[in-house]
Amino acid sequence: LDGLPLAIELAAARATVLSVDQMLERIDDPFRLLGSGRRRGRDRHRTLRDSIAWSHELLDADEQSLYARLAVFTDWFDLDAAAAVGGTDEFAVLDGLEGLAGKSLLVVDEGERGRRYRYLESIRDHAWEQLEASGETETAMAAAVDHLVAHTCDLIEQLWVEDRRLEDLFHALQATLPMRPRALAWCDAQDDLDRAAALFAPLAQFTTVDARLVAGAGPFVERAIERDHPSATLLVAMHGLERMYAQDFRAYRPTLER
């Protein structure tokens, strides 16, 4: 519940008919789960969705557009990432971020390279609904995936150009992990082999760092082979390594041999 007082109060009301475990099983749909808890006083009809929607209505048109587009990020993101999906210039994005933070729709924290931002999960869910309603999901996701690829390449280039410590690089690469499953799932849904391969290519030399860096190639293997895609070998190898890390040795050897 991200520590939101209203969400906690609504969940407490549900505890009269649901156990904590039962609520956890249904938390993927927080607006319906917490939508009609019995509350006392003048705002007894207020729900979590109402609270977020009220703050959203206070945004101007540009802020609402940015609010929706930023829903593509599953965890922390920085100004460069926000500008990549914002569809406008960096200073306009800065104004938008200030507006979102001022209306308590955006969490701001001090990162290693300056300020970073994220949505609370319930706010991200609402923002994603706005993004889908706007018809800009494909554009925003494509921009987010392209930024993730470029950012990963930049991190690795800095290792060689700036002689950064490997530990620093690995730490920075691990910070990109929360976004990779959504990026790969989108590539799968869009049948976008080029972007899927681009997500793996920069990491080929670091496959022993973290098993999660090679995860997710499986859905693309057969299509890449059938189409004789230039990155078919890379995708097969990544999938084989994923099976190896999972100790699925029966599947990993045939995949690598193939």
Side-chain angles (χ1 to χ4, degrees):
L1 300 177
D2 295 316
L4 291 173
L6 177 58
I8 293 170
E9 182 178 351
L10 291 168
R14 285 294 197 198
T16 59
V17 292
L18 291 175
S19 69
V20 172
D21 288 338
Q22 287 176 309
M23 282 191 277
L24 282 173
E25 292 171 358
R26 294 162 175 81
I27 200 63
D28 288 341
D29 194 352
F31 296 129
R32 293 189 67 187
L33 174 65
L34 307 178
S36 58
R38 297 176 61 189
R39 307 177 74 238
R40 297 176 180 175
R42 61 184 180 182
D43 58 352
R44 61 185 178 277
H45 299 298
R46 189 180 179 201
T47 66
L48 182 60
R49 184 190 293 273
D50 293 334
S51 178
I52 297 172
W54 179 78
S55 296
H56 175 258
E57 288 299 317
L58 297 177
L59 302 174
D60 63 31
D62 290 338
E63 290 170 340
Q64 288 184 352
S65 176
L66 180 64
Y67 169 81
R69 285 170 170 258
L70 294 179
V72 299
F73 296 113
T74 57
D75 201 56
W76 295 103
F77 57 91
D78 60 14
L79 176 59
D80 289 340
V85 305
T88 183
D89 66 86
E90 183 179 83
F91 289 103
V93 169
L94 272 173
D95 291 339
L97 292 174
E98 184 177 351
L100 296 178
K103 295 172 180 64
S104 302
L105 290 169
L106 190 69
V107 177
V108 183
D109 187 37
E110 193 68 38
E112 295 182 358
R113 295 189 169 189
R115 295 291 172 86
R116 60 179 187 167
Y117 320 94
R118 77 175 178 93
Y119 283 146
L120 298 177
E121 187 172 355
S122 51
I123 293 175
R124 186 184 303 113
D125 290 342
H126 179 270
W128 184 263
E129 291 177 359
Q130 304 306 308
L131 180 62
E132 290 185 323
S134 73
E136 295 185 332
T137 306
E138 183 175 346
T139 301
M141 279 300 307
V145 173
D146 289 343
H147 173 75
L148 180 58
V149 171
H151 178 58
T152 302
C153 291
D154 287 344
L155 290 174
I156 295 172
E157 182 180 356
Q158 289 170 18
L159 171 68
W160 310 123
V161 175
E162 301 177 9
D163 194 25
R164 296 182 65 193
R165 293 189 311 156
L166 278 174
E167 292 85 355
D168 293 338
L169 172 65
F170 298 159
H171 178 70
L173 286 176
Q174 287 171 334
T176 69
L177 289 173
M179 186 61 189
R180 287 183 65 81
R182 171 169 283 185
L184 289 167
W186 181 81
C187 291
D188 184 18
Q190 297 294 313
D191 195 21
D192 194 333
L193 285 176
D194 291 336
R195 282 192 171 95
L199 285 165
F200 287 104
L203 302 172
Q205 57 193 315
F206 301 107
T207 54
T208 60
V209 175
D210 192 316
R212 292 172 294 176
L213 293 175
V214 301
F220 307 98
V221 168
E222 294 302 326
R223 278 173 282 179
I225 293 174
E226 290 172 1
R227 301 173 194 176
D228 196 23
H229 192 273
S231 295
T233 303
L234 169 70
L235 291 168
V236 171
M238 288 293 190
H239 181 52
L241 287 168
E242 181 182 7
R243 302 322 308 151
M244 182 187 71
Y245 282 129
Q247 297 187 346
D248 185 0
F249 299 111
R250 182 174 298 179
Y252 124 82
R253 181 175 294 278
T255 304
L256 290 186
E257 287 177 351
R258 184 176 188 182

